[in-house]
Amino acid sequence: MTDVIWLRPERAATGRPAAHDRAEITAAAIGVADRGGLDAVSMRSVAVELGTGAASLYRYVASRDDLLDLMIDATAAECRLAPPTGDPVADLVAVAEGLHEVMVRHPWLPELAVTRPALGPGGVAVLDHVLGVLADHPGDAASKLEVFALLNALVATFARNEFAAADQSRRAVAYLGHVAAGGERPRISALFDELSTADPDPRDRRVTALAALLSGLLG
């Protein structure tokens, strides 16, 4: 049996008539992950989500790894792909921001994007778009594929760092608020007031960094 799920038949040739399809199973697995994280995803939990038995899922997917590959690729299909403008850096940043939006919707995704990237129909659509953006770039096929891989890795890294920073920031701000409320440290109170009114959106920094990295990459 091939390791690539998209090269296998959608379901086993023998057994009962199909009650579900890969799209339904994938959506159920994503729902489980969105609520409980990756650790919550198992053949059993997805089967419960679908109201069926775990054994029945094996007619459609061979393992949890198959589920993860399907989940990664299905989220790639959510990425907004705007028509190219002719500015490769700006167009790739736009792709990156589309991928980032998807990762914000699915906080479990950045980890998978870094540790086990998968390429199915959804990912191929994003790759094809990136190749269109780079159509006039003199780089060879291998270098363009590297740009695609690095784009995904960069976005996943930004998302992971932002999630971690947000969690650390919440804890720090909670204690700073406690200290500021005591009124005994006016500089801390002033700092807390400024933090409370600051714009926490890191988008500008992310877009600037991505543009600089991509400009260097494309030469």
Side-chain angles (χ1 to χ4, degrees):
M1 180 185 296
T2 177
D3 289 336
V4 181
I5 187 169
W6 295 282
L7 296 181
R8 294 184 229 143
E10 172 123 357
R11 66 179 298 277
T14 59
R16 298 176 183 175
H20 301 287
D21 59 28
R22 279 183 187 163
E24 290 177 287
I25 292 168
T26 304
I30 290 173
V32 171
D34 285 348
R35 293 193 303 274
L38 278 181
D39 288 344
V41 177
S42 67
M43 300 293 272
R44 182 177 298 277
S45 65
V46 174
V48 169
E49 185 84 356
L50 289 166
T52 188
S56 68
L57 291 191
Y58 288 98
R59 295 202 297 272
Y60 307 91
V61 292
S63 65
R64 182 176 183 269
D65 284 345
D66 279 351
L67 286 176
L68 297 181
D69 286 348
L70 289 169
M71 291 162 64
I72 295 166
D73 193 65
T75 57
E78 297 178 20
C79 182
R80 293 183 299 107
L81 299 173
T85 66
D87 181 341
V89 171
D91 290 338
L92 290 176
V93 169
V95 174
E97 284 298 279
L99 292 170
H100 185 270
E101 289 175 5
V102 175
M103 291 186 184
V104 169
R105 285 198 294 273
H106 307 292
W108 48 268
L109 181 58
E111 183 71 23
L112 282 185
V114 170
T115 59
R116 54 167 303 133
L119 191 63
V124 164
V126 180
L127 171 59
D128 187 58
H129 180 81
V130 168
L131 292 176
V133 168
L134 297 174
D136 295 328
H137 191 270
D140 60 15
S143 65
K144 291 178 181 181
L145 192 58
E146 287 173 0
V147 169
F148 171 72
L150 285 170
L151 190 67
N152 280 279
L154 285 169
V155 175
T157 300
F158 276 113
R160 291 171 78 186
N161 290 342
E162 288 164 10
F163 292 155
D167 186 52
Q168 293 167 356
S169 177
R170 280 192 294 271
R171 294 199 299 269
V173 169
Y175 183 64
L176 281 175
H178 169 75
V179 173
E184 297 176 0
R185 295 185 180 274
R187 287 188 292 268
I188 298 297
S189 297
L191 174 67
F192 181 75
D193 288 342
E194 184 175 343
L195 288 173
S196 299
T197 57
D199 182 2
D201 186 1
R203 182 183 184 278
D204 288 345
R205 292 193 300 275
R206 183 177 63 248
V207 167
T208 299
L210 281 167
L213 289 166
L214 289 165
S215 294
L217 197 60
L218 297 180

